[in-house]
Structures are given as C-alpha cells and as structure tokens.
Amino acid sequence: MKKSWMLILALLLQLSVTLGLGSVIAYGNTYERAPSGLIVWGQDYSGMSRIQVSSNIKERIPNGISIKGQDYPLTLDRSYENIEKWLDQVFAVPTGFWFTDIVNSLSRPSKVVPTNEFELDRGEIIPQLESLSRIVNRPMIPATITYTNGGLVRTDGQVGQELDVEATWLKLIHEHIKIRIEPVLNNVPTQPDSVDLLKIQNIIGDYTTFYNSQDVPRTKNIHLAAMALDKHLIPPGHVFSFNDVVGERTEAAGYLPALIFVEQTVIQDNGGGICQGSSTLYQAVRQAHLPIVEKHTHTLPVSYVLTGQDATVAFGILDFRFRNDTQGYLYISARTGSNWLRIQLFGLADDAHPVLLKPNGYPSSPVDWSKDPK
C-alpha cells in the first residue's frame, strides 16, 4: 500500500515537472510576442515582438503633407504615445513575478484585436493642418469693372485655393500605405466672375444733382460719400445699405462738420451734406424701378431734389436701402465735378427694369450719356 502511494506521488511529481517545463517553454516562446489574431489595417502581426509591431505600425502612418513637391512634416509625438498605450493593452506587461507572468501569458485569448481604439491624435494634427492652411491658402481675386472715359472696362478675376482641414484629416487617418499625402485643396471660385460682369451692359438709372462748391466742408463730405459709392457692385437678390457702404461719418474718416437737419432745426455735425448722395442715388434707383426697402425724408425741404423726393440718412438710425431684383449684378458709378454729383446704375435690363432712355437731373440733366454737367 505504501509503495502504491509512493508511485502515485512520483507520477504526480513527474507530471507537475512536465507541465511546469512546458509552461516555461510556452512562456518563453510567447513572452513579449503579439497574440494570435492581432491584425492591424489588414496585416497579421501574430507572434511578432512588440518592437516590431510598434515600428511597423508607425511606419504605416503618414508623417507629412506634400504639395506640388514641397513636403511639410507633421509632428506625431502624441499620436505615437497613443499607439504605445494601445500596445500596453495588447502585450502582457511583466509583473516582476515569473509565475504570475506565466499564468497571464497562458491565459491571454487568441482573437482579432480591434484597432479602432487608436488613431492619429486629432488634437495634435488639426492645429498643424490649420497652420498649414494659412501658408497654402490663396484668396480668390474677384473680377472687376470700372466706368472710365464713358465706357465700362472689365478685368478677369483669379480662382482662389483653400485647404480643406477636415477632409485632409479624414484622408490622413485612412491612409496606411503612403508616408506623405496630398491634402484636399478646394478651389474658391471668383465672385463675381467675368461672366457675371459681362451681363452688366445697360444704363437703367442716371441722375445728377448740384451743390454749392463754395461750402468747402459740405463739398468734401459729398465727395467722400461719392468715393465710397463708386464702383460698388450689388449681387442679384441682395439689399444695398447706404450706411453699410459709406460707413460712419466721423472725423477719423475725414468727414467735416456741416449743416444738417435735426427735427425742425439746423445744426452743424460731421458728415453734413451726404444726404445729397443718398438722395441722388434714390432718384437713380427710382428710374431703375428697383424695390425700396427703407427710405426717410428730411424734416425740412432740401434744395437739390424736388420736395418729398429726398432720402435722408443718419448712421445707426436712418438708412436708405433697396433690393437688387434684376437678373444680374448692379454697378454704381458715382462721380463729382465742380458743383455736381452724378450717379449711374448699370445692370442687365429686362421688362421690369428697362434701359433708361435719357439721363435726368435736378434742376437740369446732362446733355447726353458721355458728357457730364459743366
């Protein structure tokens, strides 16, 4: 009986030693090795060392942007840290106790490890793409039109360029072959373009008013307002605002004190006289049959248009606004002479906005289209 027990104990001891040696051998073969089924971006890393896996994954992440042969490297420190943290979950981390390490190693499951837990660090990459966009972005240059020497002169615009930060980010995180990618660059179309400006062919409004050029401050104010209005383009469907275009009439903007109406009194204030600009424009707008959005009359009669046909403005309080309901852009030409202000509206004539047959004004009008008042 005693011999039987001794035999059983010997067999158990031999089995334990065999299992122990097998475990040690298995541990030695799998320690610091990727588990079976570790597939990243279609590549099987099963059995590879952590260093190999880490190096290979990092080599498959784009590390720069390439634009027309010019390379712009990306800083990926935080992104690489994220990969190492993810690998900490994939590989067994030594505890310092060999027996515990053996048990942990043997108990690791064999399965496909998801890679959606790591990617490039968005907070690290997006600021770099935004910084790059400030280098490569190119603003569009609009086509222009100018009334010169009795005719309209046009120049072509230039298409702009804009780096699409979000689309480039998505391209980066889905690229696992190239180490340099080309960013997503969008064209910024010219607005208006040459086709838009070619539609501006017809005069649909043309009105002239006169002023006392001996009143130097008021004359200067009229000139400043005319300069702000001149060459202004109004897109179809948009509402024109006199106050927005001319701006606040301040000393810093060059405006001088001149007579203005406040209720039933006349006082001096910066910008006195610019209402002649808004009133002259109003007359041209009436000729063009454009819808009025906002208009106010003075509290006292003015000398430069018929009674009730004026349009007073006061920045932040009263405005003159109208809508461009034509099928194309409107172009404002505002010119001043020795004692006159002439505003013309050019656009695309139609049944609702016919070609103007002759220029008009108060108390007189220009002789013809090409000659200004003398």
Side-chain angles (χ1 to χ4, degrees), residues 252-367:
Y255 288 94
L256 301 175
L259 296 179
I260 67 168
F261 298 159
V262 177
E263 299 298 339
Q264 299 297 311
T265 61
V266 180
I267 65 171
Q268 292 268 339
D269 197 10
N270 286 334
I274 62 142
C275 291
Q276 183 160 349
S278 56
S279 297
T280 307
L281 177 60
Y282 167 60
Q283 293 301 319
V285 168
R286 288 183 66 214
Q287 293 171 315
H289 303 287
L290 298 169
I292 306 300
V293 176
E294 180 183 356
K295 186 192 86 73
H296 309 272
T297 57
H298 288 85
T299 54
L300 294 171
V302 298
S303 61
Y304 42 82
V305 291
L306 291 171
T307 301
Q309 297 301 312
D310 55 309
T312 185
V313 290
F315 191 84
I317 303 173
L318 305 174
D319 200 0
F320 170 54
R321 298 187 295 149
F322 64 91
R323 186 185 307 278
N324 175 12
D325 65 344
T326 72
Q327 298 304 304
Y329 277 79
L330 287 176
Y331 172 78
I332 300 176
S333 169
R335 306 191 302 282
T336 56
S338 58
N339 68 336
W340 52 266
L341 166 64
R342 185 177 186 180
I343 293 182
Q344 293 175 291
L345 290 178
F346 295 84
L348 178 63
D350 54 29
D351 291 342
H353 313 88
V355 174
L356 190 67
L357 297 179
K358 61 179 295 186
N360 205 346
Y362 182 83
S364 62
S365 60
V367 177

Side-chain angles (χ1 to χ4, degrees), residues 10 59 92 100 104 252 293 333 349 369:
E59 288 175 356
T100 304
N104 291 339
V293 176
S333 169
W369 301 112

Side-chain angles (χ1 to χ4, degrees), residues 34-91:
S36 176
L38 179 62
I39 299 175
V40 180
W41 302 322
Q43 181 170 337
D44 191 347
Y45 290 96
S46 302
M48 294 179 65
S49 70
R50 173 169 178 154
I51 293 176
Q52 290 174 318
V53 175
S54 175
S55 175
N56 190 275
I57 289 177
K58 291 174 183 177
E59 288 175 356
R60 296 180 65 188
I61 292 177
N63 58 16
I65 304 293
S66 181
I67 304 176
K68 296 180 179 179
Q70 177 69 45
D71 288 338
Y72 300 89
L74 294 172
T75 300
L76 301 173
D77 295 342
R78 283 161 52 184
S79 298
Y80 288 165
E81 289 177 10
N82 290 342
I83 293 174
E84 295 302 327
K85 290 178 181 178
W86 177 78
L87 289 174
D88 286 342
Q89 302 174 31
V90 174
F91 286 82

Side-chain angles (χ1 to χ4, degrees), residues 196-274:
D196 293 325
L197 299 190
L198 279 174
K199 296 178 181 178
I200 301 176
Q201 295 285 348
N202 313 116
I203 298 176
I204 58 176
D206 188 334
Y207 205 86
T208 300
T209 60
F210 297 82
Y211 52 86
N212 176 15
S213 59
Q214 300 302 310
D215 187 342
V216 176
R218 187 176 186 278
T219 298
K220 181 179 181 182
N221 295 338
I222 292 174
H223 287 184
L224 287 174
M227 290 171 59
L229 294 171
D230 191 40
K231 301 181 180 63
H232 187 76
L233 284 165
I234 309 170
H238 282 226
V239 173
F240 170 91
S241 163
F242 185 90
N243 283 339
D244 287 349
V245 173
V246 175
E248 189 171 2
R249 280 68 82 177
T250 63
E251 182 180 353
Y255 288 94
L256 301 175
L259 296 179
I260 67 168
F261 298 159
V262 177
E263 299 298 339
Q264 299 297 311
T265 61
V266 180
I267 65 171
Q268 292 268 339
D269 197 10
N270 286 334
I274 62 142

Side-chain angles (χ1 to χ4, degrees), residues 8-250:
I8 292 172
L9 289 174
L11 290 173
L12 288 175
L13 180 61
Q14 183 178 3
L15 178 61
S16 299
V17 170
T18 301
L19 290 174
L21 288 174
S23 298
V24 170
I25 293 172
Y27 172 67
N29 290 332
T30 61
Y31 176 68
E32 277 292 300
R33 298 287 174 177
S36 176
L38 179 62
I39 299 175
V40 180
W41 302 322
Q43 181 170 337
D44 191 347
Y45 290 96
S46 302
M48 294 179 65
S49 70
R50 173 169 178 154
I51 293 176
Q52 290 174 318
V53 175
S54 175
S55 175
N56 190 275
I57 289 177
K58 291 174 183 177
E59 288 175 356
R60 296 180 65 188
I61 292 177
N63 58 16
I65 304 293
S66 181
I67 304 176
K68 296 180 179 179
Q70 177 69 45
D71 288 338
Y72 300 89
L74 294 172
T75 300
L76 301 173
D77 295 342
R78 283 161 52 184
S79 298
Y80 288 165
E81 289 177 10
N82 290 342
I83 293 174
E84 295 302 327
K85 290 178 181 178
W86 177 78
L87 289 174
D88 286 342
Q89 302 174 31
V90 174
F91 286 82
V93 179
T95 64
F97 299 96
W98 69 270
F99 181 77
T100 304
D101 291 342
I102 291 175
V103 173
N104 291 339
S105 176
L106 294 177
S107 63
R108 279 193 300 162
S110 296
K111 63 180 182 180
V112 176
V113 182
T115 59
N116 57 2
E117 297 179 9
F118 80 88
E119 61 181 16
L120 292 175
D121 190 292
R122 181 181 175 89
E124 178 180 47
I125 301 300
I126 292 295
Q128 296 182 69
L129 295 180
E130 291 173 341
S131 178
L132 178 60
S133 71
R134 289 189 284 272
I135 298 174
V136 303
N137 284 2
R138 184 178 65 246
M140 72 87 181
I141 300 175
T144 63
I145 184 170
T146 305
Y147 183 77
T148 304
N149 297 325
L152 294 171
V153 179
R154 300 170 179 84
T155 60
D156 293 334
Q158 183 177 328
V159 173
Q161 175 180 275
E162 187 174 85
L163 188 148
D164 190 325
V165 171
E166 187 63 28
T168 302
W169 158 254
L170 292 175
K171 191 174 181 180
L172 275 169
I173 64 176
H174 290 100
E175 177 58 60
H176 308 305
I177 298 177
K178 302 176 182 177
I179 62 171
R180 291 282 192 275
I181 71 156
E182 294 183 356
V184 179
L185 296 174
N186 297 327
N187 285 336
V188 181
T190 56
Q191 288 185 327
D193 59 23
S194 56
V195 175
D196 293 325
L197 299 190
L198 279 174
K199 296 178 181 178
I200 301 176
Q201 295 285 348
N202 313 116
I203 298 176
I204 58 176
D206 188 334
Y207 205 86
T208 300
T209 60
F210 297 82
Y211 52 86
N212 176 15
S213 59
Q214 300 302 310
D215 187 342
V216 176
R218 187 176 186 278
T219 298
K220 181 179 181 182
N221 295 338
I222 292 174
H223 287 184
L224 287 174
M227 290 171 59
L229 294 171
D230 191 40
K231 301 181 180 63
H232 187 76
L233 284 165
I234 309 170
H238 282 226
V239 173
F240 170 91
S241 163
F242 185 90
N243 283 339
D244 287 349
V245 173
V246 175
E248 189 171 2
R249 280 68 82 177
T250 63

